[in-house]
């Protein structure tokens, strides 16, 4: 049954114009030079929430270090996080690593070409499953991301709120009908590329658009009003003091975050909630709580870091600990800080500190 919105729609012209344009105009990118499902998988995970220009260097570096899924499966998680350092959304790296181990253990190192099996691997959601299936295995699977939802909302004049999961499913159904069995890879990538280069969120370049004649929003002058994207909940602000704690040997305290939740297993300088005014760093571990007294606090900077659901406001302070206290901190030299995987906000603090060579 044809989805109602596709009735009276010239999908043949749309597909032909889109694919022809894509094959002529696509950007040269390293992951477009390969059909290797592992490499395409790595690129798709890195490209989530991250700009193409940023990904290129990380992609090359990652594949140099882990050229095959076996190499990745055999790596230590800390080492993988170190290669991923600075790219953000670190659960992507941990999930990719876990899934690589699963591919080696369960599927003899061969990435499954059945979309249902592929979609069960850790970190592979519907979009990534569709992208790998269509690009590496040439299967007519939808790969619907924000770019694709924007392009199809405009060309088909869809008024549904793209922040809702049911809209994504609806657009996947539409793609299943549109996607040509003989070239699903160029069709999916063409939609994404059109969204990235021409049908951009603001001021789409309709005069240069290969599917302008098939675009209902353009015909109605509605391209700037679509897609409908109703605001999500506001981000929560959390204020912390980040302590650059130096001990009697001049070494700096760092700690590892818990192995679950935000930035799991990444390293950082100790952080305390700003409302906690005491000159005691209260550490709570599973079975004990203890206080770490510090002194000579000097504020050396401020930083704001925006996550998708939280904003961190960080006051960066230097301080000293005199006694050789017992704590869960690792005291390391400033020179050795770069060998630990830090999250983006703490990389900025660390790099400034390394430059300043705190005396
Ligand atoms: Fe987007 Fe404009 Fe092309 Fe329509 S004509 S798909 S709004 S760029």
């Amino acid at each position: 049954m044809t989805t109602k919105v596709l009735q009276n729609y010239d999908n043949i012209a749309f597909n032909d114009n889109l694919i022809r344009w894509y094959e002529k105009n696509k950007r040269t990118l390293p992951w477009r030079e390969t059909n290797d499902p592992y490499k395409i998988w790595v690129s798709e995970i890195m490209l989530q929430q991250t700009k193409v220009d940023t990904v290129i260097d990380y992609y090359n570096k990652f594949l140099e270090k882990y050229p095959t899924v076996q190499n990745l499966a055999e790596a230590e998680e800390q080492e993988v996080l170190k290669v991923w350092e600075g790219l953000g959304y670190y659960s992507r790296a941990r999930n990719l690593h876990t899934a690589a181990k699963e591919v080696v253990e369960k599927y003899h190192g061969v990435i499954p070409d059945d979309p249902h099996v592929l979609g069960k691997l850790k970190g592979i959601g519907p979009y990534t499953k569709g992208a790998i299936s269509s690009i590496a295995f040439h299967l007519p699977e939808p790969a619907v991301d924000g770019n694709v939802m924007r392009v199809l909302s405009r060309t088909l004049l869809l008024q549904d709120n793209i922040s809702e999961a049911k809209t994504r499913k609806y657009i996947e159904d539409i793609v299943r009908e549109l996607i040509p069995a003989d070239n699903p890879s160029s069709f999916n990538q063409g939609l994404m590329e059109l969204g990235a280069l021409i049908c951009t969120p603001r001021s789409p370049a309709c005069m240069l658009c290969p599917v302008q004649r098939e675009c209902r929003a353009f015909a109605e002058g509605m391209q700037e009003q679509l897609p409908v994207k109703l605001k999500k909940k506001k981000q929560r602000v959390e204020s912390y003091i980040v302590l650059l704690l130096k001990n009697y040997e001049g070494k700096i305290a760092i700690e590892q975050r818990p192995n679950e939740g935000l930035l799991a297993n990444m390293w950082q300088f100790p952080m305390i909630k700003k409302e906690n005014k005491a000159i005691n760093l209260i550490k709570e571990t599973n079975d004990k709580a203890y206080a770490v007294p510090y002194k000579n606090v000097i504020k050396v900077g401020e930083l704001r870091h925006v996550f998708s659901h939280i904003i961190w406001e960080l006051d960066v302070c230097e301080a000293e600990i005199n006694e050789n206290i017992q704590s869960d901190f690792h005291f390391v030299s400033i020179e050795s800080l770069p060998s630990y995987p830090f999250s983006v906000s703490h990389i900025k603090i660390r790099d400034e500190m390394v430059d300043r060579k705190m005396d």
Side-chain angles (χ1 to χ4, degrees), residues 151 154-155 194 198-199 204-206 209 211-212 215 217-218 223:
V151 169
R154 287 172 175 168
T155 49
L194 191 71
I198 304 276
C199 194
C206 300
C209 180
V211 294
Q212 188 206 80
C215 181
F218 179 76
Q223 62 271 30

Side-chain angles (χ1 to χ4, degrees), residues 41-295:
W41 176 17
V42 170
S43 73
E44 288 299 339
I45 299 292
M46 287 188 168
L47 286 164
Q48 291 167 10
Q49 324 268 351
T50 312
K51 291 197 180 97
V52 165
D53 290 349
T54 310
V55 167
I56 293 173
D57 278 353
Y58 279 93
Y59 171 85
N60 288 331
K61 198 168 68 166
F62 195 89
L63 287 173
E64 211 172 280
K65 185 123 177 126
Y66 310 118
T68 67
V69 70
Q70 283 84 358
N71 299 136
L72 178 58
E74 285 160 12
E76 291 295 325
E77 186 187 86
Q78 284 292 294
E79 192 187 81
V80 177
L81 288 174
K82 185 66 203 161
V83 183
W84 203 274
E85 185 191 77
L87 198 55
Y89 300 96
Y90 298 94
S91 58
R92 295 182 298 176
R94 282 190 299 274
N95 291 342
L96 179 62
H97 184 221
T98 305
K101 289 196 261 188
E102 200 181 335
V103 167
V104 168
E105 279 161 23
K106 272 198 184 161
Y107 308 110
H108 314 290
V110 179
I111 293 160
D113 59 3
D114 177 339
H116 296 291
V117 181
L118 190 63
K120 290 202 171 104
L121 292 174
K122 195 131 196 205
I124 298 196
Y127 164 76
T128 312
K129 176 180 77 172
I132 301 170
S133 299
S134 59
I135 299 170
F137 301 124
H138 304 286
L139 297 170
E141 283 288 313
V144 173
D145 67 354
N147 280 331
V148 173
M149 289 202 278
R150 182 171 62 255
V151 169
L152 290 178
S153 292
R154 287 172 175 168
T155 49
L156 298 172
L157 207 67
L158 306 177
Q159 314 266 352
D160 308 69
N161 176 14
I162 61 163
S163 301
E164 289 183 11
K166 67 175 188 211
T167 304
R168 176 184 294 265
K169 280 202 137 306
Y170 175 49
I171 294 179
E172 279 174 3
D173 290 343
I174 291 173
V175 172
R176 277 189 199 282
E177 284 195 46
L178 284 175
I179 196 166
D182 61 348
N183 200 349
S185 170
S186 291
F187 176 84
N188 276 345
Q189 293 192 82
L191 281 178
M192 295 174 213
E193 195 79 340
L194 191 71
L197 301 182
I198 304 276
C199 194
T200 48
R202 268 173 245 119
S203 311
C206 300
M207 291 307 148
L208 304 174
C209 180
V211 294
Q212 188 206 80
R213 276 205 283 183
E214 290 75 46
C215 181
R216 290 172 175 165
F218 179 76
E220 301 284 330
M222 291 273 291
Q223 62 271 30
E224 300 274 359
Q225 279 100 66
L226 291 173
V228 175
K229 190 175 180 186
L230 299 178
K231 280 203 170 69
K232 288 199 207 125
K233 270 207 301 196
K234 257 180 93 187
Q235 289 140 313
R236 184 175 78 240
V237 177
E238 294 182 354
S239 302
Y240 290 97
I241 295 172
V242 177
L243 284 169
L244 308 179
L245 277 180
K246 205 162 53 161
N247 75 359
Y248 67 105
E249 292 178 307
K251 291 190 170 171
I252 303 296
I254 58 171
E255 61 181 359
Q256 194 171 22
R257 293 182 64 86
N259 61 7
E260 279 183 359
L262 183 69
L263 303 172
N265 285 346
M266 300 299 286
W267 289 82
Q268 63 180 22
F269 301 104
M271 303 213 309
I272 45 171
K273 284 244 165 82
K274 212 167 165 184
E275 59 261 25
N276 178 1
K277 296 246 167 36
I279 304 293
N280 269 329
L281 182 53
I282 308 296
K283 292 297 297 172
E284 283 178 30
T285 60
N286 291 338
D287 54 355
K288 60 179 178 173
Y290 54 87
V292 180
Y294 58 93
K295 61 177 190 177

Side-chain angles (χ1 to χ4, degrees), residues 30-47:
W31 47 89
R32 288 188 175 152
E33 314 284 306
T34 179
N35 281 324
D36 181 340
Y38 166 65
K39 293 180 180 167
I40 290 163
W41 176 17
V42 170
S43 73
E44 288 299 339
I45 299 292
M46 287 188 168
L47 286 164

